[in-house]
Amino acid sequence: MKEQDEKITEAKIRDLFSTALKNGEKRASNFLNPAQQKLAEEISRDFPGAGYFFDGGLEEAERKILVVFPEYLREESFSLPVKAVRVTPKDREERPGHRDYLGAVLSLGISRDKVGDIVIHSEGADIVLKEEVAEYVGLNLAKVGKIPVEVEEISLKEVARPERRYKEIKGTVASLRLDAIASLAFGISRSKMAPYIKGENVRVNFRTVKDPSAEVKEGDVISALRLGRAKVVEIGGSSKKGRIYVTLHRFTG
Protein backbone atom coordinates (compact mmCIF):
# COMPACT_ATOMS: atom_id res chain seq x y z
CA MET A 1 0.00 0.00 0.00
CA LYS A 2 2.82 2.39 0.88
CA GLU A 3 4.53 1.67 -2.44
CA GLN A 4 1.26 2.31 -4.30
CA ASP A 5 0.73 5.57 -2.40
CA GLU A 6 4.24 6.71 -3.32
CA LYS A 7 3.59 5.97 -6.99
CA ILE A 8 0.39 8.03 -6.89
CA THR A 9 2.21 10.90 -5.17
CA GLU A 10 5.03 10.74 -7.72
CA ALA A 11 2.53 10.87 -10.60
CA LYS A 12 0.80 13.91 -9.08
CA ILE A 13 4.10 15.75 -8.58
CA ARG A 14 5.25 15.01 -12.12
CA ASP A 15 1.93 16.25 -13.45
CA LEU A 16 2.31 19.44 -11.40
CA PHE A 17 5.72 20.16 -12.95
CA SER A 18 4.48 19.35 -16.46
CA THR A 19 1.39 21.52 -16.18
CA ALA A 20 3.23 24.49 -14.69
CA LEU A 21 5.78 24.43 -17.51
CA LYS A 22 3.20 23.83 -20.23
CA ASN A 23 0.84 26.61 -19.07
CA GLY A 24 3.54 29.05 -17.98
CA GLU A 25 2.15 29.54 -14.47
CA LYS A 26 2.79 28.91 -10.82
CA ARG A 27 0.92 25.88 -9.47
CA ALA A 28 0.62 24.51 -5.94
CA SER A 29 0.29 20.96 -4.65
CA ASN A 30 -1.55 19.79 -1.57
CA PHE A 31 0.46 19.36 1.62
CA LEU A 32 3.44 17.02 1.42
CA ASN A 33 5.14 15.33 4.35
CA PRO A 34 8.95 15.48 4.58
CA ALA A 35 9.43 12.19 2.68
CA GLN A 36 7.21 13.44 -0.14
CA GLN A 37 9.14 16.71 -0.20
CA LYS A 38 12.36 14.72 -0.70
CA LEU A 39 10.66 12.84 -3.53
CA ALA A 40 9.64 16.15 -5.14
CA GLU A 41 13.24 17.37 -4.97
CA GLU A 42 14.38 14.23 -6.79
CA ILE A 43 11.65 14.59 -9.44
CA SER A 44 12.56 18.25 -10.07
CA ARG A 45 15.84 17.12 -11.69
CA ASP A 46 13.80 15.69 -14.56
CA PHE A 47 12.33 19.10 -15.38
CA PRO A 48 15.04 21.54 -16.52
CA GLY A 49 13.75 25.07 -16.66
CA ALA A 50 11.44 24.56 -13.69
CA GLY A 51 11.81 26.26 -10.34
CA TYR A 52 10.09 25.34 -7.10
CA PHE A 53 9.85 26.06 -3.40
CA PHE A 54 8.14 24.59 -0.34
CA ASP A 55 5.99 26.59 2.09
CA GLY A 56 3.76 25.35 4.89
CA GLY A 57 2.48 28.74 5.96
CA LEU A 58 4.70 28.63 9.07
CA GLU A 59 8.44 29.07 9.31
CA GLU A 60 8.80 25.83 11.29
CA ALA A 61 6.24 23.85 9.27
CA GLU A 62 6.85 20.14 8.79
CA ARG A 63 4.10 19.59 6.21
CA LYS A 64 4.52 21.90 3.22
CA ILE A 65 2.99 22.78 -0.12
CA LEU A 66 5.12 22.48 -3.26
CA VAL A 67 4.89 25.48 -5.57
CA VAL A 68 6.22 24.87 -9.10
CA PHE A 69 6.83 27.39 -11.91
CA PRO A 70 8.90 28.10 -15.03
CA GLU A 71 12.15 29.77 -13.94
CA TYR A 72 11.24 32.99 -15.77
CA LEU A 73 8.32 33.43 -13.33
CA ARG A 74 10.45 33.12 -10.19
CA GLU A 75 9.97 36.77 -9.15
CA GLU A 76 6.25 36.82 -9.92
CA SER A 77 4.11 37.15 -6.80
CA PHE A 78 2.09 34.15 -5.65
CA SER A 79 -0.55 33.86 -2.94
CA LEU A 80 -0.09 30.62 -1.03
CA PRO A 81 -3.48 28.81 -1.00
CA VAL A 82 -3.57 28.14 2.74
CA LYS A 83 -5.55 29.44 5.70
CA ALA A 84 -5.58 28.72 9.42
CA VAL A 85 -8.27 28.09 12.01
CA ARG A 86 -8.10 28.13 15.79
CA VAL A 87 -10.02 25.35 17.53
CA THR A 88 -10.83 26.01 21.19
CA PRO A 89 -12.53 23.54 23.58
CA LYS A 90 -15.55 25.15 25.24
CA ASP A 91 -14.44 23.51 28.47
CA ARG A 92 -11.01 25.04 29.03
CA GLU A 93 -10.06 22.16 31.32
CA GLU A 94 -10.11 19.75 28.38
CA ARG A 95 -6.78 19.09 26.62
CA PRO A 96 -7.21 17.11 23.38
CA GLY A 97 -4.00 15.98 21.67
CA HIS A 98 -2.68 16.27 18.14
CA ARG A 99 -4.23 12.95 17.11
CA ASP A 100 -7.63 14.03 18.46
CA TYR A 101 -7.66 17.26 16.43
CA LEU A 102 -6.45 15.55 13.28
CA GLY A 103 -9.04 12.79 13.65
CA ALA A 104 -11.82 15.34 14.10
CA VAL A 105 -10.88 17.15 10.88
CA LEU A 106 -10.51 13.93 8.88
CA SER A 107 -13.89 12.71 10.16
CA LEU A 108 -15.46 15.59 8.23
CA GLY A 109 -14.37 13.90 5.01
CA ILE A 110 -11.27 16.07 4.57
CA SER A 111 -8.33 14.18 3.04
CA ARG A 112 -5.01 14.16 4.93
CA ASP A 113 -3.19 16.10 2.20
CA LYS A 114 -5.50 19.09 2.73
CA VAL A 115 -4.27 19.43 6.32
CA GLY A 116 -0.95 21.05 7.19
CA ASP A 117 0.64 21.43 10.60
CA ILE A 118 -1.43 21.30 13.78
CA VAL A 119 0.02 23.39 16.60
CA ILE A 120 -1.20 22.51 20.09
CA HIS A 121 -1.14 25.33 22.65
CA SER A 122 -2.71 26.34 25.97
CA GLU A 123 -5.97 27.53 24.39
CA GLY A 124 -6.48 24.60 22.02
CA ALA A 125 -4.99 24.07 18.56
CA ASP A 126 -4.20 26.09 15.44
CA ILE A 127 -4.66 24.11 12.23
CA VAL A 128 -3.23 25.06 8.83
CA LEU A 129 -5.46 23.99 5.92
CA LYS A 130 -5.70 24.25 2.16
CA GLU A 131 -7.74 27.34 1.38
CA GLU A 132 -10.57 25.43 -0.30
CA VAL A 133 -11.47 23.43 2.84
CA ALA A 134 -10.91 26.05 5.56
CA GLU A 135 -14.43 27.48 5.49
CA TYR A 136 -15.98 24.00 5.48
CA VAL A 137 -13.97 22.99 8.53
CA GLY A 138 -14.88 26.25 10.26
CA LEU A 139 -18.59 25.68 9.71
CA ASN A 140 -18.73 21.96 10.46
CA LEU A 141 -16.15 21.14 13.14
CA ALA A 142 -18.29 21.10 16.29
CA LYS A 143 -16.53 18.48 18.39
CA VAL A 144 -13.08 17.00 18.91
CA GLY A 145 -13.90 13.51 20.11
CA LYS A 146 -16.74 14.17 22.54
CA ILE A 147 -15.49 17.64 23.44
CA PRO A 148 -17.53 20.59 22.06
CA VAL A 149 -15.30 23.20 20.42
CA GLU A 150 -15.43 26.66 18.89
CA VAL A 151 -13.68 27.40 15.59
CA GLU A 152 -12.53 30.74 14.22
CA GLU A 153 -10.40 31.68 11.25
CA ILE A 154 -7.10 33.36 12.11
CA SER A 155 -4.28 34.78 10.03
CA LEU A 156 -1.13 32.75 9.51
CA LYS A 157 0.73 35.34 11.58
CA GLU A 158 -1.52 34.51 14.54
CA VAL A 159 -0.72 30.79 14.51
CA ALA A 160 1.09 29.83 17.70
CA ARG A 161 4.74 28.86 17.37
CA PRO A 162 5.22 25.10 17.82
CA GLU A 163 6.81 24.03 21.08
CA ARG A 164 9.59 21.55 20.37
CA ARG A 165 10.43 19.90 23.67
CA TYR A 166 13.50 17.75 23.49
CA LYS A 167 16.36 16.23 25.41
CA GLU A 168 19.81 17.07 24.08
CA ILE A 169 22.08 14.06 23.74
CA LYS A 170 25.80 14.39 23.15
CA GLY A 171 28.08 11.46 22.58
CA THR A 172 30.50 9.75 20.23
CA VAL A 173 29.94 7.01 17.68
CA ALA A 174 32.33 4.77 15.80
CA SER A 175 30.70 5.69 12.49
CA LEU A 176 27.69 7.52 11.07
CA ARG A 177 25.82 4.27 10.45
CA LEU A 178 22.13 4.37 11.24
CA ASP A 179 22.37 1.65 13.88
CA ALA A 180 25.12 3.56 15.70
CA ILE A 181 23.30 6.92 15.67
CA ALA A 182 19.93 5.38 16.58
CA SER A 183 21.54 3.43 19.40
CA LEU A 184 22.83 6.69 20.89
CA ALA A 185 19.52 8.48 20.30
CA PHE A 186 17.26 5.91 21.93
CA GLY A 187 19.56 4.35 24.51
CA ILE A 188 19.48 0.86 23.03
CA SER A 189 22.51 -1.29 22.30
CA ARG A 190 23.69 -1.36 18.71
CA SER A 191 23.32 -5.16 18.63
CA LYS A 192 19.59 -4.78 19.39
CA MET A 193 19.09 -1.75 17.16
CA ALA A 194 20.38 -3.46 13.99
CA PRO A 195 17.66 -6.16 13.86
CA TYR A 196 15.09 -3.54 14.86
CA ILE A 197 16.05 -1.55 11.76
CA LYS A 198 15.99 -4.67 9.56
CA GLY A 199 12.45 -5.29 10.83
CA GLU A 200 11.33 -2.05 9.13
CA ASN A 201 10.71 -0.23 12.41
CA VAL A 202 12.88 2.82 11.69
CA ARG A 203 12.42 5.72 9.30
CA VAL A 204 14.90 8.41 8.25
CA ASN A 205 13.27 11.62 7.08
CA PHE A 206 9.96 9.75 7.15
CA ARG A 207 11.06 7.00 4.77
CA THR A 208 11.56 3.44 6.01
CA VAL A 209 15.20 2.34 5.99
CA LYS A 210 16.01 -1.36 6.39
CA ASP A 211 19.81 -1.17 6.17
CA PRO A 212 21.54 -0.70 9.56
CA SER A 213 24.68 0.49 7.74
CA ALA A 214 22.87 3.36 5.93
CA GLU A 215 24.75 6.62 6.49
CA VAL A 216 23.09 9.35 8.55
CA LYS A 217 23.69 13.04 7.82
CA GLU A 218 23.40 16.23 9.82
CA GLY A 219 19.78 17.41 9.82
CA ASP A 220 18.30 13.91 9.39
CA VAL A 221 15.25 13.01 11.47
CA ILE A 222 15.14 9.43 12.77
CA SER A 223 11.80 7.96 13.83
CA ALA A 224 11.69 4.60 15.58
CA LEU A 225 8.43 2.75 16.24
CA ARG A 226 7.52 2.89 19.95
CA LEU A 227 10.85 4.58 20.75
CA GLY A 228 10.26 8.14 19.52
CA ARG A 229 11.89 10.64 17.20
CA ALA A 230 15.31 12.29 17.19
CA LYS A 231 17.12 14.80 15.01
CA VAL A 232 20.82 14.83 14.18
CA VAL A 233 21.62 18.42 15.09
CA GLU A 234 25.39 18.45 14.69
CA ILE A 235 28.17 16.15 13.55
CA GLY A 236 31.48 17.36 14.94
CA GLY A 237 35.09 16.32 14.67
CA SER A 238 36.74 13.14 15.86
CA SER A 239 38.18 12.18 19.23
CA LYS A 240 41.75 10.98 19.71
CA LYS A 241 40.42 7.43 19.41
CA GLY A 242 38.81 8.25 16.06
CA ARG A 243 35.21 8.34 17.31
CA ILE A 244 32.87 11.00 15.89
CA TYR A 245 31.22 13.62 18.12
CA VAL A 246 27.46 13.86 17.59
CA THR A 247 24.73 16.09 19.06
CA LEU A 248 21.14 14.83 18.91
CA HIS A 249 17.77 16.20 19.96
CA ARG A 250 15.39 13.49 21.12
CA PHE A 251 11.87 14.91 21.11
CA THR A 252 9.88 14.40 24.28
CA GLY A 253 6.61 16.06 23.32
Side-chain angles (χ1 to χ4, degrees):
M1 185 65 180
K2 285 183 180 179
E3 187 175 329
Q4 182 65 24
D5 289 343
E6 187 168 308
K7 287 181 178 178
I8 292 172
T9 299
E10 179 178 351
K12 288 180 178 179
I13 293 171
R14 288 188 178 279
D15 183 62
L16 192 73
F17 273 95
S18 297
T19 305
L21 289 175
K22 180 181 177 181
N23 296 348
E25 61 185 1
K26 289 191 173 182
R27 294 185 67 89
S29 70
N30 288 327
F31 286 100
L32 304 176
N33 64 34
Q36 293 167 334
Q37 292 165 37
K38 290 279 187 184
L39 177 62
E41 289 176 348
E42 294 167 7
I43 291 172
S44 71
R45 299 171 192 148
D46 295 334
F47 292 89
Y52 69 93
F53 64 84
F54 297 103
D55 194 331
L58 315 175
E59 185 178 344
E60 308 90 346
E62 184 173 277
R63 296 176 61 81
K64 298 177 182 179
I65 283 173
L66 167 68
V67 179
V68 179
F69 49 87
E71 272 292 355
Y72 61 82
L73 293 180
R74 179 173 290 277
E75 300 305 318
E76 186 174 285
S77 62
F78 181 78
S79 179
L80 196 70
V82 302
K83 289 189 174 181
V85 296
R86 175 161 291 165
V87 185
T88 308
K90 291 182 179 180
D91 182 350
R92 299 305 172 90
E93 298 299 313
E94 296 286 356
R95 292 285 187 270
H98 184 282
R99 184 176 298 179
D100 301 311
Y101 285 105
L102 176 59
V105 173
L106 299 185
S107 71
L108 298 176
I110 304 297
S111 62
R112 183 66 179 97
D113 61 2
K114 301 290 185 183
V115 186
D117 279 27
I118 299 175
V119 182
I120 308 297
H121 52 79
S122 59
E123 299 298 314
D126 295 344
I127 306 175
V128 182
L129 300 160
K130 280 298 291 291
E131 189 173 51
E132 64 263 29
V133 302
E135 183 177 0
Y136 180 82
V137 172
L139 292 173
N140 292 280
L141 185 61
K143 290 184 176 182
V144 172
K146 297 181 179 180
I147 304 166
V149 296
E150 297 175 340
V151 184
E152 62 175 326
E153 185 176 325
I154 60 174
S155 71
L156 292 173
K157 291 182 180 179
E158 293 177 280
V159 175
R161 293 180 64 87
E163 281 188 33
R164 294 288 188 183
R165 296 188 294 274
Y166 58 82
K167 174 184 178 183
E168 185 168 89
I169 299 169
K170 292 188 175 184
T172 62
V173 290
S175 72
L176 297 178
R177 287 171 52 115
L178 176 58
D179 56 358
I181 298 291
S183 173
L184 176 63
F186 303 113
I188 291 179
S189 70
R190 188 167 168 181
S191 61
K192 290 182 179 179
M193 182 56 69
Y196 197 70
I197 294 169
K198 290 178 181 178
E200 301 187 20
N201 295 299
V202 176
R203 294 182 296 166
V204 178
N205 298 326
F206 302 87
R207 302 181 89 166
T208 301
V209 177
K210 297 183 287 184
D211 182 4
S213 67
E215 186 174 340
V216 175
K217 304 182 297 299
E218 193 168 288
D220 282 351
V221 175
I222 302 170
S223 305
L225 187 65
R226 296 186 296 276
L227 298 178
R229 183 188 298 185
K231 182 173 183 178
V232 183
V233 178
E234 183 180 6
I235 296 174
S238 299
S239 68
K240 292 180 179 179
K241 294 183 178 180
R243 293 178 63 84
I244 304 165
Y245 292 104
V246 178
T247 301
L248 308 168
H249 286 173
R250 179 175 174 180
F251 298 113
T252 57

